[in-house]
Amino acid sequence: MLGYEIVSAKAYGKDDVTGYTDAEADASGFAFTIHAGARYYFTENFAAGVEVGYGVSYANAGIAYKF
């Protein structure tokens, strides 16, 4: 999976020395994930699956039902 993340933050505050302080951060850029998995069908409509990789999480597991 390939995407572009837009990240920015602003903070406004007050310090004891100069009065008010402002801070900004920007960390936008391209992001990618890679994963592989398998699904095993117990019946024609019911399956269990696992997935491993890099990205949002390192491992996923679940069940699936086909209507």
Side-chain angles (χ1 to χ4, degrees):
M1 185 169 28
L2 178 64
Y4 188 81
E5 296 177 319
I6 301 171
V7 179
S8 66
K10 293 182 182 181
Y12 303 100
K14 185 176 181 180
D15 73 21
D16 295 333
V17 177
T18 61
Y20 292 98
T21 60
D22 297 336
E24 293 185 26
D26 184 10
S28 300
F30 284 98
F32 72 94
T33 64
I34 187 166
H35 50 268
R39 184 177 292 163
Y40 179 78
Y41 280 89
F42 298 105
T43 67
E44 188 175 318
N45 295 335
F46 184 71
V50 294
E51 197 173 75
V52 294
Y54 169 78
V56 176
S57 66
Y58 295 117
N60 293 313
I63 58 173
Y65 184 79
K66 232 187 337 183
F67 292 102

